[in-house]
Amino acid sequence: MDPATLIRQPARFDCATAQHRFGPGNYWVISQDIHQRSRSRAPLNVRLASLWQQSLTLHVLYADGKIVSQTTDARGLTPLIQLGAIAEQPLPRSQANVVRLLWHVEGAANLRGILLGARLSTAKESEHANLAMAALYAGFAGLAIALIIYNLALWGALRHRFQLYYCLMVGLLLAYTFSSSGALAWAWPDIANNSRLRINFLLLGGTGTAALVFARSFFEERVFAGWLGRYATGVGLAMAGVGLFYFLTAPFAIKAVDLAFTCSFVALSAAVLPLLWRAWRLRSNYLWLFAFAWGAPILTAALRALANLHLLPWSFWIDNSTILAMMVEAIVSSLAVAYRIKLLRAERDDAIEREVMTRRLADTDPLTGLLNRRAFLHQAIGRAGEQLLLIIDLDHFKRVNETLGHDGGDEVLRVFARMLRTSVPQGTLVARIGGEEFAILTPADRPIEPESVLARLRQMRMPFDIKVTASIGTCQGTLASEVDWKALYRIADTALFDAKSAGRDRVRHAMRAAA
């Protein structure tokens, strides 16, 4: 197993058997013939996927027969990690062409393969790849931070629990993106690459659990009722537990925990169809949001599960699909949060409007729209300062009902009430306190001239041009208590009786001292 011998005998290598069928262990991997030169102006790199392995040694055979070797240290691929979690090995520059490459992979878990995605790239191509991935990750990081700040600010005002769960989900996704993108290896150069992979799975499990918790708090409770809610809870706990288990035990039982993690993804995908069916059957307000927000993550979860089970070939984009899908999920979920808040605001406004209407109906005379007696007294008693009370009674209203009928009489009352409403200044209380008896209460320093009220009534056009007049009794005094009201009303009512006795269609004033 001498590298100098192996690199010159590529025919000895099995290139037909799928890598994952060999199982874990130490392996030699050889490249196709290259016959390119790594020059100072155009240095060559070889880029390959970051996998679970203890160490990686690269042997480079040049056309002049020279072999140059590079070996990783205890950190594994960490010093080679680029954005996108791609390991990049620079090929030493030489005057001779590179013939082929030979890797010695030690401690390969071989879950997806022994060495995947190997390809040559120039320095410029590597820079472009890093720049594109930096733009992608930085754009998502800025979006995630903005969404977290925005929703935390909204939570401070609205206090909806699902907003906190959304922030937790996006925060964990941001941390997972930081780790799986390879940026963690840049920020922590001493971390072993296998440890970075363990952190990836821990954060991915937490992100999946947070997403399920957010979904359960966001959608209507009836959608997750019964066995479906218990199933979702079980899947969420399983994803978090398997992620933690992976982090703690991967060095000892990586194949078992990886299979368990794949099964948790399959279980998550299996919940989608019954959830959509129940949401559709229960006419959920958020069905379309659920379909859009979870469509991409569930699709990528299924793709990753198929790739993990070797039913699909390894792909960089499948391997990184979770980040892209969760980006879509975060954006659509943010729209969903805004939509949910809009509906909650509409529900709140509707409830306030109903409450106002209920209160108004309880305080309002249904025929005239004026205050009823109870609401009038509630607002009148306790007013500060001297008040002027006018008690108004329509003259011969029984005759009006006999002439026009009760419907006509009701219309006369409505016309008269409308005239009173438009004849008094702001802050004046106007009420219907009896059949055809009305009351006006206004501060004594802003009095209403009763004669002007009668004059306007005489000019009002009533149904069928019937002539309607009224009599008014007034009294001035304080209204600190119900006793004051009874005394003031009794005096004003006596003045009203005097007005009617004197021939109606007139005003009589009385003083509080006369009580």
Side-chain angles (χ1 to χ4, degrees), residues 53 56 67 111 147 181 184 232 247 381 393 408 429 497 515:
Q53 53 194 222
L56 183 70
I67 297 177
L111 300 173
L147 290 175
S181 68
L184 177 62
F247 177 78
I381 296 175
D393 190 84
L429 300 181
F497 180 78

Side-chain angles (χ1 to χ4, degrees), residues 114-175:
I114 300 166
L115 190 139
L116 295 173
R119 67 180 183 87
L120 286 177
S121 69
T122 65
K124 184 174 290 186
E125 289 173 337
S126 298
E127 290 174 2
H128 287 168
N130 274 335
L131 185 61
M133 298 306 294
L136 177 66
Y137 292 128
F140 173 68
L143 175 66
I145 292 171
L147 290 175
I148 291 172
I149 294 174
Y150 174 71
N151 282 279
L152 282 178
L154 281 180
W155 175 80
L158 302 176
R159 299 287 176 172
H160 295 305
R161 187 179 299 174
F162 65 82
Q163 294 172 285
L164 286 180
Y165 293 146
Y166 175 78
C167 292
L168 175 63
M169 179 189 73
V170 176
L172 285 171
L173 177 58
L174 183 61

Side-chain angles (χ1 to χ4, degrees), residues 431-451:
R432 182 189 179 200
I433 58 176
E436 63 271 13
E437 186 175 333
F438 298 81
I440 297 177
L441 186 70
T442 184
D445 57 354
R446 289 180 289 168
I448 295 171
E449 182 53 53
E451 293 290 353

Side-chain angles (χ1 to χ4, degrees), residues 27-28 81 121 161-162 173 182 194 224 281-282 295 332 348 361 425 453 504:
Y27 292 93
W28 297 90
I81 290 295
S121 69
R161 187 179 299 174
F162 65 82
L173 177 58
N194 288 351
F224 285 91
R281 190 164 53 86
L282 297 176
V332 177
R348 180 204 62 192
L361 289 173
V453 174
R504 294 182 171 82

Side-chain angles (χ1 to χ4, degrees), residues 343-397:
L343 291 184
L344 289 171
R345 184 183 63 189
E347 292 175 3
R348 180 204 62 192
D349 292 345
D350 185 57
I352 292 174
E353 185 177 348
R354 285 198 305 269
E355 182 181 357
V356 170
M357 288 300 296
T358 301
R359 189 181 297 116
R360 185 175 297 170
L361 289 173
D363 294 346
T364 304
D365 173 58
L367 178 63
T368 62
L370 301 177
L371 294 174
N372 57 29
R373 183 183 183 89
R374 182 194 62 80
F376 176 78
L377 293 180
H378 179 73
Q379 297 184 40
I381 296 175
R383 275 197 165 196
E386 289 280 316
Q387 303 292 318
L388 176 63
L389 175 65
L390 283 70
I391 302 297
I392 309 170
D393 190 84
L394 295 179
D395 296 331
H396 302 299
F397 191 71

Side-chain angles (χ1 to χ4, degrees), residues 7-8 36 38 60-68 91-100:
I7 200 169
R8 291 181 173 89
Q36 294 185 44
S38 182
V60 185
L61 173 65
Y62 292 92
D64 58 4
K66 183 180 178 181
I67 297 177
V68 178
L91 301 185
R93 300 165 191 173
S94 174
Q95 295 297 323
N97 285 350
V98 175
V99 177
R100 67 180 65 94

